[in-house]
Amino acid sequence: MENRKIDAEKEASPRQAHMPKRKNPFWARVALVASLAFSTIAGCRGLYSRPTESVVFNQNNRVNLSAQELGFVRGETTLLDAEYGMGRRGLTHIAKDTNVTGDKRIDALTADFQHSVHIFVDGKYERSLELEIAQGEFPHRYALRVANIPGDGFLVMVLIRDAIEVEPTRLFMAPYSNGEFGEPLRADLTELENEHNGLERPLFVGYDLGFGITFIARDREGVPWENGYIIKWEDGRITKRPVSFMELMQCSCVSDWAASDEEE
């Protein structure tokens, strides 16, 4: 089966017709950012619009494979072997995230069009988290974060985007403690996506939801959003607070992401 490439710039979804235009030209934002005296901004390597993401379908990566089909064995399969095996099976854009919570290292692993995220504890496969993917949905280019939350345990955060844009862009979050997942939380990001004229190349910065994790992305033309958000865990729920792009540029992770040609 021949590869079929969908260019996000050429094939517009029904949602795009309702997306508002950006309020301010990107270059005006760049000029303003460059005028600031922050040392991290002074080292910025010339921000400009980046290519939008594309999606490639082929007969291998479109198959959703369970942990059993991938040959994962609890307590035996290593993260390295799992990642290698997924690549050998033709899965694309393998996404992973790592965090150390308490005395344990936690890894999350998935890839394009998969319906679950696989969890590894201290480098060995532990269990899989089902993501409630709809029939006919093609989730691609996952963004993952294994985040600390106040108290014991952590939160697995999964940004889900449908390649054919039928299902809404959303954040799926599952608390994990003592070897068990709790009731997942869900946040529809359609309004946020529309407000910023797209949600591409998303970035999470930080690992502590008590302190706050930064989230930012680009619009459909590859331009960074005018503002990002600080996401926090407060009283068992997720909150978000907008933060200007200029302020976020003080963080080297954000400035490097803004200047990078690589797709996350």
Side-chain angles (χ1 to χ4, degrees):
M1 179 178 179
E2 296 183 355
N3 287 359
R4 179 165 66 90
K5 187 171 184 179
I6 299 178
D7 191 323
E9 292 179 326
K10 295 180 179 178
E11 295 196 11
S13 72
R15 296 207 305 269
Q16 293 181 35
H18 303 289
M19 290 184 176
K21 295 182 179 179
R22 297 192 309 278
K23 297 178 181 179
N24 299 312
F26 173 64
W27 288 111
R29 299 207 304 275
V30 173
L32 188 56
V33 169
S35 69
L36 299 179
F38 300 124
S39 60
T40 53
I41 296 178
C44 180
R45 300 189 299 274
L47 305 184
Y48 50 88
S49 176
R50 305 299 181 186
T52 54
E53 297 169 336
S54 59
V55 184
V56 176
F57 292 93
N58 63 52
Q59 61 184 358
N60 292 320
N61 72 359
R62 289 182 64 175
V63 178
N64 172 46
L65 299 173
S66 67
Q68 183 178 6
E69 290 171 319
L70 287 166
F72 295 174
V73 178
R74 184 178 184 183
E76 295 184 14
T77 304
T78 67
L79 176 67
L80 184 62
D81 287 342
E83 187 175 358
Y84 177 75
M86 291 171 75
R88 285 288 301 270
R89 295 293 293 268
L91 301 186
T92 53
H93 296 116
I94 295 174
K96 62 181 178 180
D97 192 47
T98 301
N99 192 6
V100 176
T101 63
D103 60 349
K104 294 185 180 297
R105 167 181 162 168
I106 309 297
D107 295 276
L109 180 71
T110 191
D112 280 351
F113 314 129
Q114 302 307 292
H115 293 190
S116 58
V117 170
H118 308 293
I119 304 300
F120 295 75
V121 177
D122 293 333
K124 299 292 182 66
Y125 172 69
E126 177 66 21
R127 61 180 303 162
S128 298
L129 171 66
E130 295 298 321
L131 298 176
E132 302 178 355
I133 302 301
Q135 184 176 2
E137 181 177 6
F138 294 96
H140 77 116
R141 292 185 183 274
Y142 281 108
L144 304 176
R145 179 90 327 171
V146 179
N148 298 323
I149 55 178
D152 296 330
F154 57 91
L155 191 74
V156 178
M157 306 172 66
V158 186
L159 180 64
I160 302 172
R161 296 179 292 161
D162 185 6
I164 58 177
E165 298 191 346
V166 173
E167 296 297 325
T169 298
R170 58 202 185 274
L171 192 59
F172 184 90
M173 299 160 284
Y176 185 87
S177 180
N178 298 321
E180 297 292 336
F181 281 108
E183 182 66 25
L185 307 172
R186 306 162 187 85
D188 190 325
L189 301 183
T190 302
E191 183 177 343
L192 200 66
E193 185 176 22
N194 291 346
E195 177 184 347
H196 293 286
N197 193 34
L199 194 164
E200 300 198 34
R201 297 180 62 185
L203 176 71
F204 290 113
V205 179
Y207 287 89
D208 190 339
L209 278 168
F211 178 76
I213 290 177
T214 298
F215 174 69
I216 193 169
R218 297 175 184 267
D219 67 17
R220 293 186 179 278
E221 297 178 9
V223 178
W225 287 356
E226 293 181 359
N227 60 269
Y229 298 86
I230 301 298
I231 301 173
K232 300 184 73 173
W233 176 272
E234 297 179 327
D235 299 324
R237 63 188 183 91
I238 291 292
T239 64
K240 65 179 175 65
R241 174 177 62 86
V243 181
S244 72
F245 176 70
M246 295 181 295
E247 183 177 345
L248 292 179
M249 280 291 290
Q250 297 178 65
C251 171
S252 61
C253 294
V254 176
S255 60
D256 288 347
W257 165 84
S260 173
D261 283 318
E262 297 180 3
E263 295 183 351
E264 283 66 34

